[in-house]
Amino acid sequence: MLLLAIETSCDETAAAIVRDGREIISSVISSQVAIHAAYGGVVPEIASRKHLESLAPVVSQALKDGGVGMEDLEGVAVTRGPGLSGALLVGFSAAKAIAVALKIPFIGVHHIEGHLFAPFLEHTVDFPFLALVVSGGHTQLYHVEGFGHYTTLGRTVDDAAGEAYDKCAKIMGMPYPGGILIDRMAQSGNPDAIRLPRPLLRDGTLNFSFSGLKTAVLQQTMKNPVSIPGQAADDLCASFQEAVCHVLAAKTEAAILQTGAARLVVAGGVACNSGLRRRMADLCKKLGVELSIPTPSLCGDNAAMLAVPGDYYLSHGHVSPLSLDVTATWDMDIIKESIT
Ligand code: KG4
Ligand code: ZN
């Protein structure tokens, strides 16, 4: 099945052409990051308007890059939620319009389901597997038994890991989104320089908490202001990265031991993080677990990842009705009921 996939849940306007939910024919991502950077975060109203401007050219580019005509498309997969309602509506309405015009089915997909299956665009992962999704809006551990069959084992009780990265970067005076900048500066810093808290490390649950870490970084910078570039800033970045990765790895290890998982998927924008990739590789080697982390270009928001579950659902007879609406919040555990 040749699918057009569309993603507009936050600040990336993306479209992709994917064959059989596995082979990327083309993938185009137009980022709004530079526009939102001036405001220190994503401004929902601006995001919607920018998606409206960019979506048609992005879809045209994906078709052109793939050498695909509209008439070749057999279905449309689009992010239905979670995300910014206005932003979601732009991609969702376009997907419906394309589906109606071409008389092909469309399917609304959970954004995190896309992240979860991004590794499938490079190689297949057998079910069941454990998944750690770490992005700007999510930090969750899932037990994945198949498409649509997810059990949440743990989640953040406050900030997501990516949010914590971005907030700490902002405290240190870096532009939005600062996750990648902290990662870069951490390479030259000492991870043991500043002792930062490891929230919920030994609370006996698989939940996460990152807001205390952000407060600790704020207190630290008030006590000892850092200038960028500088060794003190690099040390703070390295210490912060060490604290985040320590907690993520410890909870993932606990989840692996608890579930007896033989396979681990790490996905979402923060899965680009060099420290996290290293730690997860070490952990999986130690436990004899097969690790799948998408190539960095497939970790962040993109449309191709949506085609993996999209293709599965459409080829198994699940088609979204044209009356379906977007949803700003959507629990992964209930997808099972909504697709049957
Ligand atoms: O998955 P994603 O592209 O969008 C959401 O669905 O949220 O994730 C974006 C998040 C941002 O918070 C960004 O700062 C973070 O991923 N991020 C990183 C790195 N690259 C992106 N965080 C830490 N280290 C990185 N290398
Ligand atoms: Zn995402």
Side-chain angles (χ1 to χ4, degrees), residues 111 115 135-137 162 165-166 177 179-180 183 268-270 272-273 299-301:
H111 179 78
H115 278 303
S135 71
Y165 262 97
D166 296 341
I180 189 165
D183 189 9
V270 183
C272 288
N273 186 269
C299 286
D301 286 349

Side-chain angles (χ1 to χ4, degrees), residues 5-323:
I6 293 175
E7 153 66 31
T8 63
S9 67
C10 191
D11 57 353
E12 248 86 45
T13 313
I17 310 291
V18 179
R19 194 184 308 282
D20 298 331
R22 294 293 184 279
E23 186 196 347
I24 301 175
I25 308 293
S26 64
S27 177
V28 178
I29 303 168
S30 167
S31 179
Q32 307 176 1
V33 154
I35 297 158
H36 298 289
Y39 302 91
V42 179
V43 183
E45 165 92 14
I46 295 175
S48 314
R49 289 175 187 274
K50 210 60 210 158
H51 284 308
L52 211 48
E53 233 174 83
S54 309
L55 189 57
V58 163
V59 170
S60 299
Q61 192 63 46
L63 290 166
K64 192 168 161 225
D65 290 356
V68 170
M70 277 281 202
E71 66 286 357
D72 300 323
L73 297 175
E74 293 168 283
V76 189
V78 58
T79 303
R80 183 188 165 213
L84 305 168
S85 297
L88 287 163
L89 276 169
V90 177
F92 206 65
S93 307
K96 280 186 189 180
I98 292 169
V100 170
L102 299 176
K103 298 188 175 58
I104 55 176
F106 99 101
I107 182 89
V109 176
H110 195 295
H111 179 78
I112 296 303
E113 235 182 331
H115 278 303
L116 261 189
F117 291 112
F120 285 53
L121 293 163
E122 297 176 300
H123 60 261
T124 295
V125 183
D126 290 335
F127 296 113
F129 59 82
L130 180 77
L132 172 70
V133 180
V134 269
S135 71
H138 291 78
T139 298
Q140 247 99 316
L141 273 164
Y142 297 106
H143 177 59
V144 181
E145 288 167 276
F147 286 100
H149 293 256
Y150 319 112
T151 308
T152 306
L153 303 174
R155 61 173 74 228
T156 181
V157 296
D158 41 55
D159 292 350
E163 194 179 353
Y165 262 97
D166 296 341
K167 284 180 177 171
C168 284
K170 195 171 178 179
I171 290 169
M172 292 174 70
M174 292 180 223
Y176 170 86
I180 189 165
L181 303 173
I182 291 193
D183 189 9
R184 268 190 220 141
M185 287 167 62
Q187 318 285 326
S188 335
N190 172 10
D192 302 318
I194 300 143
R195 181 73 202 164
L196 294 171
R198 268 61 169 163
L200 303 189
L201 187 62
R202 282 180 242 287
D203 71 331
T205 75
L206 296 176
N207 289 334
F208 305 91
S209 166
F210 294 108
S211 70
L213 197 48
K214 173 195 63 195
T215 310
V217 168
L218 179 62
Q219 285 166 347
Q220 177 65 27
T221 52
M222 278 166 35
K223 215 167 46 188
N224 296 310
V226 291
S227 51
I228 300 170
Q231 191 57 47
D234 292 351
D235 286 348
L236 184 54
C237 288
S239 302
F240 171 78
Q241 181 139 309
E242 177 63 22
V244 173
C245 294
H246 181 180
V247 176
L248 290 173
K251 295 280 176 163
T252 304
E253 178 168 6
I256 290 171
L257 297 176
Q258 196 172 302
T259 57
R263 288 163 290 276
L264 171 69
V265 163
V266 182
V270 183
C272 288
N273 186 269
S274 60
L276 186 63
R277 293 176 88 94
R278 243 188 334 264
R279 235 180 223 268
M280 289 299 171
D282 291 346
L283 174 67
C284 288
K285 196 166 163 204
K286 179 177 97 176
L287 300 178
V289 165
E290 182 189 312
L291 174 65
S292 297
I293 310 184
T295 201
S297 61
L298 290 173
C299 286
D301 286 349
N302 66 89
M305 65 185 193
L306 303 165
V308 183
D311 186 274
Y312 175 86
Y313 292 133
L314 289 176
S315 54
H316 285 75
H318 301 290
V319 175
S320 295
L322 287 172
S323 57

